[in-house]
Amino acid sequence: MKTLVLILVSLILGLLSTNAQTTTTTTSSSSTKVTVNVNDDKKSYYRSFAVIDMDDFFRIKVKFSESMQNDVKLYLIDQFGQDNMVADSESYFWRKELENEEMFEVRLKENRLRINVNKELASDKLLKKFKQIGRELKSLTSKKEK
């Protein structure tokens, strides 16, 4: 009888400790495939947008039409400035650190954009700014091709 009670108590404690270690994940994503007819030529492009909001980080991943690359680049420069920008022939990069830890990183390479924010280091105001930037980018990249 003692063995049965001991096993039952161990099982309950094990389940409680397992439940306490779960993390909350909120993910939303959307993707579209658009076909545009231009002078009887069909052009297709794929656009995907994903937001990953976990307990300790916030991420945005976007893949969009190459024709929108300049619009996205100009929007990001408007939001983060050219002073903090590192650019080479095919990519643009913004990064901010706090006490040698990365607070956020924004990387635009051709028609792919990745944004990573460390929620433990970022203020609530900065996190709200990145969520607003995500909404603007979703709207900007969902426009029809010119």
Side-chain angles (χ1 to χ4, degrees):
M1 184 68 180
K2 287 182 183 180
T3 306
L4 182 61
V5 171
L6 183 61
I7 291 173
L8 193 60
V9 170
S10 297
L11 181 64
I12 291 172
L13 289 176
L15 289 174
L16 289 175
S17 66
T18 303
N19 192 19
Q21 295 176 1
T22 60
T23 59
T24 305
T25 304
T26 304
T27 303
S28 66
S29 64
S30 64
S31 60
T32 54
K33 182 171 181 167
V34 178
T35 303
V36 180
N37 291 323
V38 180
N39 297 335
D40 296 328
D41 292 337
K42 286 188 176 183
K43 291 185 177 182
S44 295
Y45 70 91
Y46 177 78
R47 181 254 202 203
S48 66
F49 188 92
V51 175
I52 303 166
D53 192 1
M54 304 239 347
D55 288 339
D56 54 349
F57 66 86
F58 176 76
R59 289 189 177 137
I60 299 173
K61 297 179 181 182
V62 188
K63 182 179 177 185
F64 50 89
S65 170
E66 290 179 7
S67 67
M68 296 177 186
Q69 182 177 352
N70 194 47
D71 292 340
V72 171
K73 177 185 74 169
L74 291 175
Y75 176 75
L76 293 173
I77 290 172
D78 182 51
Q79 294 300 310
F80 300 107
Q82 285 186 319
D83 296 338
N84 300 325
M85 181 176 70
V86 176
D88 61 27
S89 62
E90 54 185 52
S91 67
Y92 299 87
F93 181 73
W94 292 265
R95 181 180 185 160
K96 184 170 184 179
E97 291 183 351
L98 182 66
E99 298 175 4
N100 294 328
E101 288 191 56
E102 181 181 291
M103 184 184 308
F104 71 82
E105 176 183 287
V106 178
R107 183 180 302 272
L108 174 66
K109 186 172 182 178
E110 296 175 352
N111 64 331
R112 294 174 189 254
L113 173 66
R114 301 232 191 280
I115 298 175
N116 297 315
V117 181
N118 184 336
K119 290 171 88 174
E120 294 175 355
L121 298 177
S123 67
D124 288 338
K125 184 178 178 180
L126 183 64
L127 192 56
K128 286 180 183 179
K129 177 182 177 180
F130 275 101
K131 288 181 180 183
Q132 179 61 35
I133 287 171
R135 288 188 289 273
E136 293 290 328
L137 286 167
K138 186 172 186 177
S139 175
L140 182 67
T141 58
S142 66
K143 293 179 180 176
K144 291 185 179 179
E145 198 168 293
K146 296 177 183 174

